[in-house]
Amino acid sequence: MTDSRIPKARLGDGGPQVGVQGLGCMGMSFAYGPSDADASRATLERALELGVTLYDTADAYGDGDNERFLAPFFAAHRDEVVVATKFALSIPPDDPTRRIIRNDAPYVREAVEASLRRLDLDAIDLYYMHRRDVNVPIEETVAVMADLVREGKVKHLGLSEVTGEELRAAQAVHPIAAVQSEWSLFSRDIEAGVVPAARELGVALVPYSPLGRGFLTGSFTNADQDLADGDFRRQQPRFTGDNAAANAALLDPVRAVAEAHGATLGQIALAWVQQRTEVHGLPVIPIPGTRKPTRVEENTAATGIVLTQAELSLLEPIAEKVAGDRYADMTFTSAGRE
């Protein structure tokens, strides 16, 4: 077992330095079926030992449960970690299964106060707009977020699933440290508009689901058959039915590259994402999610893998062959508005 720490990168021109790989914490209390709290806590500690300093959550993950779960860890390591959370997905009291996107000023202020209480923090290091409400000008939302920075409640601003033009409009109001969006061997739609805009503006990219929600690791081949009833991947088109079978066949080149490196499929998928830094010329800090210390060791080890040009060429065609969208409703993604 190695204790070597991963390198660091900066979140945007004026953002904090973080490990070149972060940790997505959603699954520790939400979305992926039952979890082991002790194992999750051990995962948080092991990630920090390995140099992971960016920890990602959101108020919508378990209706605040994820933030509450993480609070003791953040308190114990406040000076060592960068805490990222999000607002925008409001849960109606009459239907806890629904999410309503809200970017209006009163809601932003309500949401940040609630997150600060649950996280037991004086300030949030990186505060994201989780999803875009097209009925509210993005300039208005970012102006309120900028007020939170001036008031000391938030240190840096982020956006999730925005288009390149939305990012430019937001940056004109206040510096944006990071844009979070899905980016992996299976999901590359952001390369058309979002990535060039981020590079131009000095904004970091924080890819979520860089392992294709686990599909790229080969850990399951059909969500309907392999995953628990409460796992939300059973609702995603590319992981079920004929799409799942077609997409499982796309992993063969990943296996070939993994064998050449003596690595796992997941490590090759992560190495590909990490290498987007050199390919596109901007900071890229993926946030793979896991609930096991051994997985975080595997994931961070991928930061040391360098894929050759021949290997990158072998992996290049995968995304265009993927069957099914990444969400059943793509209107809430940047790709749905580009």
Side-chain angles (χ1 to χ4, degrees), residues 75-93:
H77 301 284
R78 188 64 191 101
D79 295 336
E80 302 170 85
V81 300
V82 173
V83 178
T85 193
K86 315 177 194 75
F87 73 89
L89 299 180
S90 174
I91 302 173

Side-chain angles (χ1 to χ4, degrees), residues 203-280:
V203 177
L205 248 297
V206 177
Y208 70 82
S209 300
L211 294 171
R213 301 195 185 278
F215 198 87
L216 284 164
T217 69
S219 60
F220 72 98
T221 57
N222 188 305
D224 287 335
Q225 300 169 5
D226 301 336
L227 301 179
D229 288 344
D231 195 308
F232 92 118
R233 289 171 290 185
R234 291 168 62 98
Q235 304 166 20
Q236 294 186 298
R238 61 178 49 167
F239 301 142
T240 57
D242 292 341
N243 287 347
N247 293 335
L250 300 178
L251 298 180
D252 288 343
V254 188
R255 288 192 179 91
V257 176
E259 185 176 347
H261 283 268
T264 65
L265 274 71
Q267 286 177 320
I268 298 306
L270 280 173
W272 181 90
V273 175
Q274 300 274 181
Q275 227 158 311
R276 299 303 92 189
T277 291
E278 287 76 30
V279 172
H280 293 281

Side-chain angles (χ1 to χ4, degrees), residues 53-98:
T53 54
L54 176 63
Y55 292 80
D56 186 89
T57 183
D59 59 1
Y61 298 163
D63 193 13
D65 287 345
N66 200 241
E67 291 179 325
R68 294 185 191 95
F69 174 77
L70 294 168
F73 171 75
F74 294 153
H77 301 284
R78 188 64 191 101
D79 295 336
E80 302 170 85
V81 300
V82 173
V83 178
T85 193
K86 315 177 194 75
F87 73 89
L89 299 180
S90 174
I91 302 173
D94 60 337
D95 187 355
T97 65
R98 289 181 61 216

Side-chain angles (χ1 to χ4, degrees), residues 17 57 84 155 223 312:
Q17 274 206 330
T57 183
K155 296 180 182 179
L312 292 172

